[in-house]
Amino acid sequence: MAISDRIMPLCDLLLGAAYADQQLAEKEKAEVRALIEDLAGKLPPEVDKRIKTFDPKQFDLKSAAAPFRADPEDERRKILFLVGAVIDADEELDLAEDDYLRALAAALGLPKSALEGLTVDVESEELKQSFESVRKGPPPPPQGKTDSVDVDLD
């Protein structure tokens, strides 16, 4: 199947990434257009219409990824890089976008190693410990008799 036959599912995957954080930034929309234009040679009118009318609530990641699942692994990895470009376009780090990239890799049948350098690796146990220490706050001041110190600044 030629890439031109799969422009719409690819467009959907890119738009899904753009909406992963629940908002479509203009930079992300421009990146989707530029990527499709680079691949297709020009922006097909149906792609422009899809960008304008895309409904993230109706989007199904597994269905959009299905046409690419039988491709060689290197080709499926390229889709991750394209999606990564859309995610990076707004220059904001959002864990929802990171989750989208992970879900896409799974939908494409890629190994976890395909995500190296594309996702944020957060050590959840370390994060939990940090949160617990912040949550507890500093120890309370000593109660009862305290020695006072008189400091002469002259």
Side-chain angles (χ1 to χ4, degrees):
M1 189 180 283
I3 190 68
S4 62
D5 297 335
R6 302 182 297 175
I7 285 291
M8 296 310 283
L10 179 61
C11 181
D12 287 346
L13 291 174
L14 298 177
L15 288 168
Y19 278 100
D21 60 358
Q22 307 303 313
Q23 57 187 356
L24 176 64
E26 283 301 316
K27 290 179 180 180
E28 291 170 322
K29 192 188 308 184
E31 186 67 19
V32 170
R33 278 192 168 94
L35 289 171
I36 297 292
E37 199 169 313
D38 284 347
L39 292 170
K42 64 178 185 167
L43 190 67
E46 60 271 11
V47 170
D48 190 48
K49 182 179 179 185
R50 179 70 59 103
I51 292 170
K52 291 175 183 173
T53 62
F54 183 79
D55 183 1
K57 293 176 185 161
Q58 300 297 317
F59 174 66
D60 180 23
L61 177 64
K62 288 182 182 179
S63 294
F68 305 98
R69 222 175 135 76
D71 289 1
E73 186 174 321
D74 285 345
E75 294 300 312
R76 289 178 283 149
R77 284 177 186 254
K78 288 178 185 177
I79 294 171
L80 291 182
F81 286 106
L82 293 171
V83 166
V86 172
I87 288 172
D88 291 343
D90 66 357
E91 300 173 356
E92 292 180 14
L93 176 64
D94 191 295
L95 293 179
E97 293 171 332
D98 196 65
D99 290 343
Y100 178 85
L101 200 54
R102 291 175 191 276
L104 175 57
L108 290 171
L110 288 168
K112 289 185 180 190
S113 63
L115 294 167
E116 289 177 12
L118 293 174
T119 57
V120 177
D121 291 322
V122 178
E123 296 294 329
S124 61
E125 196 56 42
E126 184 180 317
L127 211 77
K128 286 178 188 176
Q129 290 172 355
S130 296
F131 176 70
E132 285 301 316
S133 66
V134 169
R135 184 177 175 190
K136 290 178 186 174
Q143 298 281 330
K145 187 177 178 181
T146 59
D147 294 334
S148 66
V149 176
D150 195 17
V151 178
D152 189 10
L153 297 175
D154 291 330

